[in-house]
Each structure stands twice: as structure tokens, then as C-alpha cells.
């Protein structure tokens, strides 16, 4: 079978997309220019929502088995605890942050992809492409230098911050490089004053120091540093890292055995549109931002989960691609903008210089984090379970009397039922009481609707939930016709 979709780039985002499309029976090729996967830990955290989506893909257990669970985050200044945020309170089957070096995340994704019957093609680089209304033609350079011309229905650029696909589309990567300078250290630490299932952020007058446990005894340390104007941050020495930990931390932490030391600057950039014709961008190709909050890779992987079921429906069923594929950009671009703003804000608060402003920050931070609803909101944002698509063009009818979940809102996975979108077909799920009308609806859309009903959230309600676990419609029981019209409107009824 010739490929319907070409995916460029085998970072976490390209691998996620390829595995999802393959799971849904779409013929894909995934090409990667580098000979080997990264050996760097880079993105360390898999958040609850990403794990829920990996569970739906049938592979979360391998990630959970390989990772290290973090249950709480602390903010400290001097010897004072500004706030303690209990991640384990999140309403998810995965009530923790799973620490896993990106190199392992990519390895596990590649193994999952192989199980779907797709091999990643390494040392294969996209050189250029062109598109018509019917197809995309890509020029690929193989390891031996030969060139291949490949025609596919769709092309997705998951090719990182310097994306060839984004450049080829002429999309502006709007934003800035921040002026702050940063160091990163993957090291062993003795004397960390919290349990190794907790993160510590130290707000100091010089700047911020964040210490994340990766495994018992192994930590990621990040700090901003002052440099002469015009200099770029370079790889720090272990002694420099130790000196920053001594000055900004509580004392007593001893660094050793570095695994990776690096200096970096933060880019905050994003494209306005994630799609042009038959070509999409996802992940770092579409948005880059501060690592504060650890959302970059998770946001990119969720771009892939969002696009995969829509593209699969279009590829498998020859659905009209209008509303379905347009919604990818509007939904994910809005999330990208929110993540970019939130990460930027978090960074600015952590590294503010003015002493008076720091005093106010510490007081207000302590006051606000004393409120349970504030802590809950922070946990829901961090773990990404609060992500939703309230303004999506895919949102269908909504009866205001029914309450949550409203269209666009996440539906928490049920412990005893397969999540929406699992299996080998991207099906919507009905949360409804059994009736002959509901049964007729299922029979009318045998390939679009899961035949198994879930309990409605209220007895007199009928919810349609998308294959990625977000509510699409919320109507009164008996209004099955509204659901039928909705399904026809987004898929052409195929
Ligand atoms: C130091 C550091 C720390 C980070 N910390 C965090 C964190 O804590 N949390 C977090 O969420 N994120 C973090 N990130 C960001 C995270 O690493 C990225 O968001 C993530 O890697 C993006 O995945 P991606 O698949 O979109 O792109 P990438 O991982 O960049 O993958 C793109 C792939 O495309 C390939 N490619 C490029 N051009 C072509 C071409 N023309 N043809 C074929 N292949 C091509 C590249 O070789 C690459 O393998 C960090 C990043 C860095 C550098």
C-alpha cells in the first residue's frame, strides 16, 4: 500500500502521530534525517493528560513502568516554604507527573510504532515539497545520497524548531528570543531536602533554581544566570552548578557525576496557522516556548493526538475534510498560544530582578497558594487535564440545563471502560441511557459510533464524545436527531 501520509521528523511528536495513524489503519511513512535518536534527557515530564492519551493508544503501561512518579512541587525562598502543590490530587487515572528522559520517551514510542507495523526511516531527509489540490510531492534524500520523489495525500512537518516544512510553507514563526540566559545540568545530587518524589523551585534574589528528580539520586537542575551583554550561555562546569545550588538552595546539596550539562536561551515563537492546504505542522515546528511548566513536548504530542483521529477519518472514509481538518489548527493554535503565554509568565515571575517586586511576589505567592481552589487550578493546568476546546468549530449542540461536560470539555477516562478512541478505529462514543432511538442512531453510523454505550452524566442527557475524549454534543435524551445531523455535518455522513 502506498503511503497516504508522510510524516517528517521522528521526535516525540512525529512518532506519536505515526503510531496513532498506523493504529487507525492509515498508510504512513515517517522519515528522520538523523542516524540515531537523541541520547539527551531534554523534555523530562509526561503529564497526566498525555498519559491518558497514551493509555487510549494502548501503550501507557510501558511508560509508567519506565518512569519515576513525582507527586508534588514546592516553591521555597530562603528557608520559607511559599507553597506546596500536591499533584496527586488531580482527577485522572495518572495522578502524578511521570519523569522520563526524552530519549526513553522516544525509544518507547518507536517500539510502540514498530508494534503497529511501521518502521521509522532514518537518514532520510525532506529536501523540499510542493502541493496541489489533490496531493503533495516531496523530495527525500536517502542515506546513500540518492533522491526519491514521493507523492502522498498529506504531509505533516513534525520536524522541530528549524522545520523545513514550516519554511517551505512560508509560515512566519512569530515571537522573540528572550534575553535571559540559562544553564541545565543532569547530575547526581546528595542532600536534596525533599522526598525524591517532589520538585523544588527556589526563588532567590539572584534568580531561580529548579531541581527535578529524574530517578532516585539523579536530578535535573535548571537556573538562570547573569552574563555580560552579547555573550551566549555555554556548557557550565559542575563547580558552577554547585556554586549556584549553594547560593540559591537551602545548603547541603552536593552535585556529582554529570550526565549532561548545557547552556541555553529561550525562544517564544509560534505560527498563526498550523495548516496550509494539504500540509500541517505540529510540535516544535509550530510552537516553541520556555521550558517552565514542562509543557513543550506534551503540547506537541497532544497536537499529534488531535490531528491523528481527524486525518484518519478523512483518509479512511473519504470524509469531507472541511470542518474536521480546519478544526486542528483552530483548536491547537489556541492551546499553543495559551501555553506560550503561561510559560512566559511563569518564567518572568521566577526571574524578576527588582528586590521590592520579589518581596511582593513572595508575599502574594504565599497568600495565593494558601487557597485550595488556586492550588487545584494550578494542578489542573500543569497536568493539562484542564485543556479544552471551548471555541472549537467542531462543537455541536449544547443544552445549557445539562451542565458539564459541555462541548469542548475533556471527559475523564472511566476506570472500567476502554477510553473513547481506543482500538483500531476512531469512533465517537455515546454517553446515554439505552433506548430504541439510541440503538437506531448507532445502527445508522456503524463506523463512526462505538456500539457500547457509557452511562450518561445525567439520566435525562445524551452526550457525544469525540475519539480524543472531548465532549462534542450535549443534548436532552430523545434528541438523537441532533446527534445524527452533527455527525453528517462533520463527516459528510460517510
Ligand atoms: C534543553 C531542553 C530542555 C527541554 N525541557 C523540556 C521539558 O522539561 N518539558 C517539555 O515538555 N519540553 C522540553 N523541551 C522541549 C522538547 O524537547 C521539545 O518540545 C520536543 O523535543 C519537541 O518534539 P518535536 O517532535 O516537535 O521536535 P524534535 O524533538 O525537535 O524532533 C524533530 C525531528 O525532526 C528531524 N528533522 C528536522 N528536519 C528534518 C528534515 N528536513 N527531514 C527529516 N527529519 C528532519 C530532527 O532531526 C528531529 O529528530 C526541552 C528542550 C530542550 C532542548
Amino acid at each position: 500500500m502506498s503511503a497516504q501520509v508522510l510524516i517528517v521528523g521522528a521526535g516525540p511528536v512525529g512518532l506519536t502521530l505515526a503510531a496513532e495513524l498506523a493504529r487507525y489503519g492509515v498508510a504512513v511513512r515517517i522519515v528522520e534525517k538523523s542516524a540515531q535518536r537523541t541520547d539527551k534527557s531534554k523534555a523530562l515530564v509526561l503529564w497526566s493528560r498525555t498519559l491518558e492519551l497514551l493509555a487510549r493508544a494502548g501503550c501507557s503501561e510501558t511508560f509508567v513502568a519506565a518512569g519515576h512518579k513525582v507527586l508534588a512541587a514546592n516553591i521555597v525562598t530562603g528557608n520559607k516554604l511559599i507553597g506546596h502543590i500536591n499533584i496527586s490530587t488531580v482527577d485522572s487515572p495518572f495522578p502524578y507527573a511521570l519523569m522520563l528522559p526524552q530519549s526513553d520517551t522516544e525509544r518507547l514510542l518507536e517500539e510502540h510504532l514498530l508494534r503497529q507495523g511501521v518502521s521509522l526511516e532514518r537518514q532520510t531527509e525532506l529536501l523540499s515539497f510542493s502541493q496541489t489540490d489533490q496531493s503533495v510531492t516531496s523530495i527525500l534524500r536517502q542515506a546513500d545520497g540518492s533522491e526519491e520523489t514521493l507523492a502522498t495525500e498529506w504531509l505533516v512537518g513534525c520536524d522541530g524548531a528549524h522545520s523545513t516544512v514550516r519554511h517551505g510553507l512560508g509560515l512566519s514563526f512569530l515571537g522573540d528570543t528572550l534575553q535571559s540566559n540559562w544553564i541545565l545540568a543532569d547530575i547526581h545530587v546528595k542532600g536534596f531536602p525533599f522526598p525524591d518524589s517532589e520538585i523544588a523551585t527556589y526563588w532567590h534574589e539572584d534568580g531561580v533554581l529548579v531541581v527535578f528528580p529524574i530517578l532516585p539520586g539523579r536530578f535535573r537542575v535548571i537556573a538562570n544566570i547573569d552574563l555580560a551583554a552579547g555573550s551566549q550561555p555555554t556548557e557550565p562546569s559542575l563547580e558552577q552548578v554547585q556554586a549556584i545550588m549553594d547560593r540559591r538552595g537551602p545548603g547541603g546539596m552536593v552535585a556529582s557525576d554529570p550526565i549532561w550539562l548545557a547552556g541555553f536561551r529561550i525562544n517564544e515563537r509560534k505560527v498563526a496557522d498550523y495548516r496550509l492546504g494539504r500540509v500541517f505542522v505540529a510540535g516544535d515546528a509550530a510552537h516553541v516556548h520556555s521550558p517552565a511548566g514542562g509543557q513543550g513536548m506534551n503540547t506537541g504530542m497532544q497536537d499529534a493526538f488531535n490531528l491523528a483521529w481527524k486525518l484518519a477519518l478523512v483518509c479512511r472514509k473519504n470524509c469531507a475534510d472541511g470542518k474536521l481538518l480546519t478544526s486542528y489548527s483552530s483548536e491547537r493554535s489556541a492551546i499553543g498560544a495559551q501555553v506560550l503565554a503561561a510559560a512566559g509568565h511563569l518564567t518572568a515571575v521566577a526571574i524578576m530582578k527588582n528586590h521590592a517586586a520579589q518581596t511582593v511576589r513572595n508575599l502574594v505567592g504565599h497568600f495565593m497558594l494558601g487557597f485550595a481552589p488556586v492550588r487545584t487550578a494550578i494542578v489542573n493546568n500543569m497536568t493539562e487535564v484542564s485543556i479544552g476546546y471551548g471555541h472549537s468549530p467542531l462543537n455541536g449542540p449544547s443544552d445549557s440545563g445539562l451542565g458539564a461536560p459541555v462541548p469542548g470539555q475533556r471527559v475523564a477516562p472511566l476506570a472500567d471502560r476502554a477510553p473513547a478512541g481506543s482500538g483500531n478505529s476512531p469512533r465517537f462514543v455515546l454517553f446515554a441511557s439505552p433506548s430504541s432511538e439510541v440503538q437506531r442512531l448507532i445502527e445508522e453510523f456503524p463506523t463512526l459510533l462505538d456500539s457500547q454505550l457509557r452511562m450518561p452524566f445525567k439520566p435525562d442527557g445524551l452526550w457525544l464524545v469525540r475519539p480524543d475524549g472531548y465532549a462534542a454534543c450535549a443534548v436532552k435524551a430523545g434528541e438523537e436527531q441532533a446527534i445524527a445531523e452533527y455527525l453528517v455535518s462533520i463527516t459528510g455522513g460517510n
Side-chain angles (χ1 to χ4, degrees), residues 34 54 101 121 137 175 182 184 199 242 249 263 361 378 383 412 426 464:
S34 64
L54 287 169
E121 300 172 45
T137 303
W182 295 80
L184 168 161
I199 298 167
Q242 180 68 57
R361 171 197 65 189
I378 291 172
T383 55
L464 180 72

Side-chain angles (χ1 to χ4, degrees), residues 211-224:
V211 187
F212 304 86
I214 303 178
L215 291 169
R218 181 178 162 192
F219 291 80
R220 159 77 57 84
V221 172
I222 291 186
N224 64 314

Side-chain angles (χ1 to χ4, degrees), residues 132-151:
T132 65
D133 287 347
Q134 279 75 42
S135 66
V136 188
T137 303
S138 302
I139 309 294
L140 303 174
R141 183 169 52 210
Q142 313 286 356
D144 62 4
S146 63
E147 287 186 10
E148 176 190 357
T149 303
L150 175 70

Side-chain angles (χ1 to χ4, degrees), residues 12-13 20 32 112 121 130 160 195 252 291 294 308 311 325 360 375 380 392 405 418 437 481 492:
V13 176
E20 282 294 272
E32 165 59 53
H112 173 59
E121 300 172 45
S130 57
L311 204 47
L325 292 185
V360 173
R375 292 197 302 272
N380 289 346
S392 170
E437 289 78 12
Q481 186 55 29

Side-chain angles (χ1 to χ4, degrees), residues 12-282:
V13 176
L15 289 167
T16 302
L17 181 64
E20 282 294 272
L21 287 172
R23 178 165 76 89
Y24 287 145
V26 177
V28 293
R29 279 180 66 180
I30 171 166
V31 296
E32 165 59 53
K33 69 179 177 186
S34 64
Q36 276 162 352
R37 96 170 60 92
T38 181
D39 62 354
K40 302 285 185 291
S41 56
K42 296 203 282 186
L44 271 187
V45 190
L46 285 166
W47 291 111
S48 309
R49 184 60 188 149
T50 306
L51 289 167
E52 290 177 4
L53 291 162
L54 287 169
R56 165 185 162 278
C59 64
S60 57
E61 293 92 348
T62 52
F63 287 83
V64 174
H68 173 69
K69 292 176 188 168
V70 159
L71 306 175
N74 303 285
I75 301 177
V76 184
T77 180
N79 289 322
K80 185 176 173 193
L81 184 68
I82 299 263
H84 175 83
I85 297 160
N86 187 347
I87 299 168
S88 67
T89 55
V90 66
D91 176 20
S92 167
F94 303 95
Y96 43 79
L98 189 74
M99 310 307 282
L100 187 66
Q102 185 169 327
S103 45
D104 287 329
T105 296
E106 291 186 16
R107 175 178 56 80
L108 293 174
L109 284 170
E110 196 177 329
E111 289 168 9
H112 173 59
L113 177 65
L114 257 180
R115 287 194 293 274
Q116 314 300 317
V118 177
S119 303
L120 147 64
E121 300 172 45
R122 286 207 175 272
Q123 291 181 280
T124 306
E125 180 175 5
L126 174 79
L127 296 180
S128 62
F129 63 91
S130 57
Q131 61 171 318
T132 65
D133 287 347
Q134 279 75 42
S135 66
V136 188
T137 303
S138 302
I139 309 294
L140 303 174
R141 183 169 52 210
Q142 313 286 356
D144 62 4
S146 63
E147 287 186 10
E148 176 190 357
T149 303
L150 175 70
T152 51
E153 291 169 32
W154 306 95
L155 167 67
V156 191
C158 304
D159 48 349
H162 304 288
S163 169
T164 306
V165 174
R166 187 185 68 238
H167 285 120
L169 291 175
L171 299 176
S172 304
F173 210 25
L174 299 172
D176 288 311
T177 303
L178 302 190
Q179 288 311 304
S180 54
N181 299 298
W182 295 80
I183 54 143
L184 168 161
D186 270 9
I187 48 179
H188 289 82
V189 175
K190 286 209 173 99
F192 182 59
F194 290 97
D196 61 18
S197 57
E198 299 192 8
I199 298 167
T201 298
Y202 297 96
W203 284 346
H204 185 267
E205 59 187 23
D206 289 357
V208 71
L209 167 75
V210 192
V211 187
F212 304 86
I214 303 178
L215 291 169
R218 181 178 162 192
F219 291 80
R220 159 77 57 84
V221 172
I222 291 186
N224 64 314
I225 51 166
D226 286 328
L227 285 181
S231 341
Q232 291 286 335
T234 53
E235 181 181 313
S237 65
L238 187 62
E239 291 69 32
Q240 277 173 298
V241 176
Q242 180 68 57
I244 291 175
M245 289 169 68
D246 288 344
R247 179 147 170 83
R248 299 186 193 175
M253 286 193 277
V254 180
S256 66
D257 306 315
I259 295 153
W260 181 35
L261 300 168
F264 68 98
R265 282 192 140 186
I266 295 171
N267 277 288
E268 289 187 333
R269 296 177 190 279
K270 181 180 163 298
V271 294
D273 240 311
Y274 289 19
R275 176 193 182 188
L276 201 65
R278 294 185 158 270
V279 183
F280 302 85
V281 283

